[in-house]
Amino acid sequence: MANIGDLPEDVLVELFSLVPARELICNCQLVCVLWRDVVNLATVWKRKCQREGFNHEKWDKTIQDWKIFYFLCSLKKNLLKNPCAEESFQFWTLKSNKGDKWKVEDLPGQHGRDFPSPHVCKYFVTSYGQCLKFQLIDLKKEGYWDQLMDEIRPDILVKDWYAARFDCGCRYELCVQLLSADYIVLHKFCPEPVIIEQWSDAEWREISYTFHNYKAGVRHILFEHGGQDTQLWAGWYGCRVTNSSITIEPGGHCREATGQTPALST
């Protein structure tokens, strides 16, 4: 009876494309030289992308390391928890909570507008004193190992949505920092605060920024936003924020394959 090592390479590729990625890296490639070489074939990881529905058509010609591309796709998610206030302030730390303090309201809210996406039903709203809140993301806990962040340095995409009431002006501010393991700031995106005048259109606006080619050593991301109203009215007339997101993007930023297996954290 023939053993599995006698199977043609294309059959092994098909079989390995069905095996969970962590098993391939941590177990299968340790069996023998043949299995190691097949596990590291681009065709295995390209086939896994196809099987699991990762849309790679727009990047197909630029992907140089299908293994890294697969892992980035499989890990991709919003790293910010509770971005749309569905769980009140869970997972957020209130850095500044002045005036009548932060509050959660249902869309569209008084003198407000509906959000462009129907799945967003709530928002956080600020008061007449400064209101700021933040989340600190630990990249290793989210599955992004050190070698990946230092050598591949995939794009980090930040998005936030903010709006004012029609009847009151407001101030909106955002600051996102890429931090080292000991919380030294390596890069940051802290644009000038946005001032929305009274009697605005109250439309929801998106702010977006992508970190490219940042320094090695990024281990945490600090996301902070908030603001206040400009009329100093009691109550909750300040800026409204919701649907914030931070994602690690897979497309087009994988460096040339080195033949080495990424060192997955266990």
Side-chain angles (χ1 to χ4, degrees):
M1 180 180 294
N3 60 51
I4 193 170
D6 298 325
L7 292 174
E9 183 180 285
D10 59 339
V11 176
L12 283 175
V13 166
E14 192 67 19
L15 288 173
F16 285 164
S17 71
L18 297 168
V19 177
R22 189 168 290 274
E23 292 299 317
L24 287 177
I25 299 300
C26 298
N27 296 315
C28 294
Q29 73 163 357
L30 304 180
V31 172
C32 63
V33 173
L34 172 63
W35 280 33
R36 181 200 65 194
D37 291 344
V38 174
V39 165
N40 283 310
L41 287 174
T43 49
V44 170
W45 299 96
K46 186 172 183 177
R47 186 75 181 100
K48 287 184 72 63
C49 286
Q50 293 169 340
R51 282 187 178 279
E52 298 185 31
F54 299 142
N55 180 14
H56 56 77
E57 292 179 0
K58 63 181 178 181
W59 300 313
D60 203 25
K61 295 181 181 179
T62 62
I63 295 171
Q64 295 175 303
D65 190 329
W66 280 94
K67 185 191 303 178
I68 295 298
F69 179 79
Y70 172 85
F71 278 106
L72 288 173
C73 286
S74 63
L75 287 169
K76 185 176 178 181
K77 60 184 176 182
N78 186 358
L79 299 178
L80 291 174
K81 298 177 175 61
N82 186 29
C84 301
E86 293 294 341
E87 301 171 86
S88 189
F89 290 96
Q90 188 173 359
F91 304 111
W92 292 96
T93 298
L94 304 184
K95 178 180 178 180
S96 182
N97 202 18
K98 298 179 180 179
D100 283 325
K101 303 181 179 181
W102 280 99
K103 185 183 180 184
V104 170
E105 294 182 345
D106 295 328
L107 279 157
Q110 288 188 342
H111 298 284
R113 300 272 189 171
D114 286 322
F115 194 79
S117 299
H119 75 277
V120 179
C121 302
K122 296 177 181 290
Y123 59 83
F124 303 98
V125 59
T126 61
S127 186
Y128 62 88
Q130 186 185 54
C131 294
L132 296 173
K133 62 184 179 69
F134 70 87
Q135 283 191 38
L136 180 65
I137 297 166
D138 185 324
L139 290 169
K140 187 172 288 188
K141 287 183 179 179
E142 298 296 338
Y144 296 93
W145 59 99
D146 294 352
Q147 181 185 346
L148 177 73
M149 300 307 299
D150 292 346
E151 296 181 12
I152 303 302
R153 281 176 279 170
D155 288 352
I156 300 173
L157 176 60
V158 177
K159 293 184 178 182
D160 199 20
W161 287 82
Y162 63 94
R165 290 172 57 116
F166 166 72
D167 59 345
C168 188
C170 72
R171 171 189 174 104
Y172 162 80
E173 50 192 293
L174 169 70
C175 186
V176 184
Q177 301 177 13
L178 305 186
L179 309 176
S180 66
D182 49 359
Y183 305 102
I184 294 172
V185 178
L186 301 178
H187 294 273
K188 64 181 180 180
F189 171 62
C190 300
E192 288 295 316
V194 177
I195 305 298
I196 302 177
E197 300 296 335
Q198 188 180 25
W199 315 121
S200 71
D201 57 14
E203 293 284 356
W204 285 94
R205 292 171 171 81
E206 182 185 54
I207 186 169
S208 177
Y209 182 80
T210 302
F211 289 97
H212 298 288
N213 299 320
Y214 43 83
K215 297 177 182 177
V218 173
R219 300 293 180 265
H220 304 91
I221 304 174
L222 179 64
F223 178 99
E224 179 179 298
H225 68 172
Q228 64 187 96
D229 82 52
T230 55
Q231 257 67 38
L232 302 181
W233 291 349
W236 297 274
Y237 291 83
C239 73
R240 300 166 172 186
V241 292
T242 194
N243 203 39
S244 314
S245 66
I246 296 177
T247 53
I248 308 294
E249 294 296 306
H253 293 274
C254 297
R255 287 164 173 49
E256 187 174 358
T258 63
Q260 298 178 345
T261 299
L264 297 181
S265 58
T266 56

